[in-house]
Amino acid sequence: MNMKNVFLFVGLLALTSCSSVQIKRAEIQKKEQPKTSVTPAPQTQPSEAQLATEEPEEVVQEKPKIGLILGPGAVRAYAHIGVLQELSKSKIPIHSIAGVEMGSLVGAIYSNKGQAYDVEWQMFKMKEEDLIQKTFVSGALKPLDVGTLQPYLQTILGSAKVEEAKIPFACPALNLAKNQTYMMTKGAYTQMLPYCLPFAPLFHPYSQNVAAVADLASVAKYLRSKGATYLVYINLLPQQGGMVMDQKEILHASSWAALAQGIENQFQFVDKIVNIQVSQYTLTDFAKRREIMLKGQEAGRAAATQIIDQFGF
C-alpha cells in the first residue's frame, strides 16, 4: 500500500468514527430527556350565587279545549249570538258546541260554518210567525208544530249534515215515552233539530220528543267524552228574582221557574257559568231580539276577557 492510499484509508476511518459518535450522543440525549405528563384541570361546580342567577325554565300551560253549551230561553236565545261574536273577536277557539231548546238552533248554525256573524245573518231571517202563534180571540200563545219551521231550516241549512260540521255539534232531546235523554249528533240538521227544539210556549212535542231542557249533566258528560276539557255554560235564566212573564205566558211560568232551579243544581258539571241579564225580556219578546243580542255581546265581552286572563289565548 503506498503512502497516498494509507492517508486516504485513515481519513475515511476517522470520518466514520465521528458519525457514529454523533448518532450515539443523539440517542443518549433522547433517552435522558424527561417525560412530561398532562394533568387534567379539576372540574369546578357552579357556586350558589351562579345558580341563583340562572332563570328557571318557563312552564307552558296547556290551553284548554273549550266546549260551549248554549242554554234554553226561547226568544232569549238571540243573546247567544252576541256571546259567539265576542268569543270570535277575541280569537278564543271553540272545540265543540251543544245547544238546548232554541240554543240548539243557534248552535247548529254556528257549528255548520264556524262563523259567528253568519249566525246573526241567518237568525234574523226568521219571522215572528215562524215561532209565535196567538189565538184569534184572546191573543193567548198557542204552541206551533215544529214542522212549520222546516222552510226556514231548509233556507239557512239546506242539506248540511252534522258529521260535516266545521265544529262538532250536539243537542239533547227527551223522549217522553221512555223518559230518556238522547244526544242528537248525526244526520241532516233539518232532520235533527225538530227533536231538540220543542218546548212550551213555542212548540208542541215532535214524535213524542221535546228539548231536554233540564239535563245539563248529560250534555256536559257528552262534550267531555268528545275531548272538551273546559265547559262554558251560557245561562239565560235568572238565579234569583223570578222571571218576567207576559200575561199570555203565565201558564208556563211555573215550569220555567222550576227549570231555572233544576239547571242551577247542575252547575257543578261545568267549569264556567256566563249569566246574561235578559230577565227583563219575556220568552216571546221577538220585537226586542236585537236588544237581547246586544246583552249577549256585553256578557260575552266580559267572559272573553276572563278566559284570556286565565289561559292566555
Side-chain angles (χ1 to χ4, degrees):
M1 180 181 297
N2 58 31
M3 202 61 148
K4 185 177 180 181
N5 292 336
V6 170
F7 282 120
L8 182 59
F9 175 75
V10 172
L12 289 172
L13 182 63
L15 182 60
T16 303
S17 299
C18 288
S19 298
S20 299
V21 170
Q22 288 177 350
I23 292 171
K24 288 181 179 180
R25 283 179 180 176
E27 290 177 350
I28 292 171
Q29 288 176 353
K30 186 176 180 181
K31 288 180 181 179
E32 290 178 352
Q33 187 175 356
K35 295 182 178 179
T36 58
S37 61
V38 179
T39 304
Q43 296 181 351
T44 57
Q45 297 294 328
S47 65
E48 292 183 3
Q50 289 175 321
L51 290 174
T53 59
E54 293 181 0
E55 295 184 2
E57 292 185 7
E58 183 180 355
V59 178
V60 179
Q61 183 179 11
E62 185 178 353
K63 290 180 173 59
K65 295 177 181 178
I66 295 178
L68 200 60
I69 303 174
L70 309 181
V75 171
R76 293 176 180 177
Y78 276 85
H80 291 316
I81 303 170
V83 175
L84 290 170
Q85 290 173 343
E86 293 302 319
L87 294 178
S88 177
K89 278 183 187 177
S90 299
K91 301 187 185 306
I92 296 174
I94 305 302
H95 172 270
S96 50
I97 189 167
V100 184
E101 195 242 3
M102 281 295 288
S104 67
L105 178 57
V106 177
I109 299 171
Y110 177 69
S111 72
N112 186 34
K113 296 180 180 179
Q115 299 175 3
Y117 285 90
D118 182 62
V119 181
E120 177 183 355
W121 174 253
Q122 303 299 346
M123 285 292 291
F124 276 85
K125 289 180 180 178
M126 189 183 295
K127 299 175 182 178
E128 185 171 10
E129 55 266 30
D130 292 329
L131 286 181
I132 301 164
Q133 184 177 13
K134 299 175 183 178
T135 59
F136 180 74
V137 178
S138 64
L141 289 172
K142 182 180 179 182
L144 291 167
D145 183 336
V146 73
T148 62
L149 203 59
Q150 273 298 327
Y152 167 74
L153 295 178
Q154 289 288 346
T155 298
I156 64 170
L157 292 166
S159 60
K161 294 182 179 181
V162 180
E163 297 93 325
E164 301 167 355
K166 184 78 172 179
I167 297 172
F169 171 73
C171 61
L174 174 66
N175 184 277
L176 298 174
K178 298 180 180 180
N179 193 29
Q180 185 173 349
T181 297
Y182 292 90
M183 296 303 301
M184 310 301 290
T185 61
K186 295 181 180 180
Y189 286 103
T190 55
Q191 296 174 1
M192 186 181 76
L193 285 171
Y195 291 89
C196 301
L197 283 168
F199 199 74
L202 298 182
F203 297 112
H204 287 299
Y206 177 77
S207 297
Q208 294 189 314
N209 290 275
V210 295
V213 290
D215 198 355
L216 176 58
S218 291
V219 180
K221 182 179 179 181
Y222 177 79
L223 289 186
R224 290 196 193 278
S225 74
K226 295 302 177 181
T229 58
Y230 188 83
L231 299 185
V232 180
Y233 178 70
I234 312 302
N235 185 34
L236 305 178
L237 306 179
Q239 286 75 64
Q240 54 186 0
M243 295 180 65
V244 174
M245 287 279 183
D246 186 277
Q247 187 64 33
K248 301 177 183 65
E249 300 173 1
I250 203 67
L251 293 174
H252 311 290
S254 59
S255 61
W256 278 91
L259 171 60
Q261 184 61 51
I263 292 175
E264 184 177 356
N265 292 338
Q266 298 174 70
F267 279 173
Q268 72 269 23
F269 294 104
V270 299
D271 303 290
K272 183 176 182 62
I273 312 294
V274 178
N275 293 309
I276 304 182
Q277 301 304 318
V278 287
S279 58
Q280 65 271 40
Y281 303 101
T282 68
L283 294 169
T284 57
D285 220 341
F286 191 82
K288 295 183 179 178
R289 61 196 186 282
R290 187 162 294 278
E291 289 181 28
I292 294 172
M293 186 186 76
L294 294 177
K295 289 292 184 180
Q297 288 180 349
E298 182 180 328
R301 200 155 40 242
T305 299
Q306 294 166 2
I307 292 172
I308 290 171
D309 289 344
Q310 184 174 357
F311 299 111
F313 283 107

